[in-house]
Amino acid sequence: MSLGQRVSTDRQLTRLLQIGVVLEEVVESRAAHHLETLSPEERDAVDEEVRALLVDAAEESADHRDRLEKLIADLEAETVPYEEINALVDAQYGPPEDTDGVLYDQLANEETAYKFYDDLIGAIEASDSEFAVDRERLLETLRTLREEEREGAEEVTEIMERRA
């Protein structure tokens, strides 16, 4: 199923929201992983601004995941537990080599999440289907998440520009 088409069933909506949960879990895990795997030398090279960015990103992603999981619960479905995704992220990705790598990784995460929510909102708005979850609450939640991802991408970009 492509996000280029309309979302017409609760099953499709559930699957897309579950993808959003996994996306947020990956972002949360990557941000936490960056913080946990820094060597003492790297910790000295990563300033407080970048550390704060990563902490905020992990907290925001956990909040987004919780909001998506509430929508999924209203659709009487389940999500993949964070611990499972975290284990996959640890196995798949190594830490970035330097601070620039951390910032580029975080920017990519924010932009990917923004695009996902933007496309999902468009697919829901293009549909006249009724869902088991309140349509306005669904769209309001997704619009809020999209806006927070946009703000996150802008924050990372501003940090990168100051370092250039």
Side-chain angles (χ1 to χ4, degrees), residues 47-106:
D47 60 37
E48 190 56 39
E49 185 176 38
V50 173
R51 277 193 288 278
L53 174 79
L54 294 173
V55 168
D56 289 347
E59 289 172 355
E60 179 182 281
S61 290
D63 176 62
H64 289 186
R65 182 170 40 89
D66 289 343
R67 289 193 248 172
L68 291 170
E69 286 174 344
K70 287 177 183 165
L71 293 171
I72 292 167
D74 288 349
L75 292 163
E76 299 182 3
E78 297 179 9
T79 62
V80 178
Y82 172 77
E83 294 74 23
E84 289 181 32
I85 300 301
N86 191 39
L88 293 172
V89 168
D90 285 345
Q92 181 69 28
Y93 301 102
E97 297 296 316
D98 54 24
T99 301
D100 286 344
V102 169
L103 291 172
Y104 279 109
D105 186 64
Q106 190 57 38

Side-chain angles (χ1 to χ4, degrees), residues 120-132:
L120 180 53
I121 290 165
I124 292 168
E125 288 175 336
S127 172
D128 56 1
S129 298
E130 290 188 27
F131 303 109

Side-chain angles (χ1 to χ4, degrees), residues 17 66-75 124 132-145:
L17 293 173
D66 289 343
R67 289 193 248 172
L68 291 170
E69 286 174 344
K70 287 177 183 165
L71 293 171
I72 292 167
D74 288 349
L75 292 163
I124 292 168
V133 63
D134 179 72
R135 183 184 193 90
E136 285 310 308
R137 182 174 141 244
L138 170 67
L139 287 169
E140 180 182 319
T141 299
L142 295 173
R143 287 179 185 128
T144 299
L145 299 181

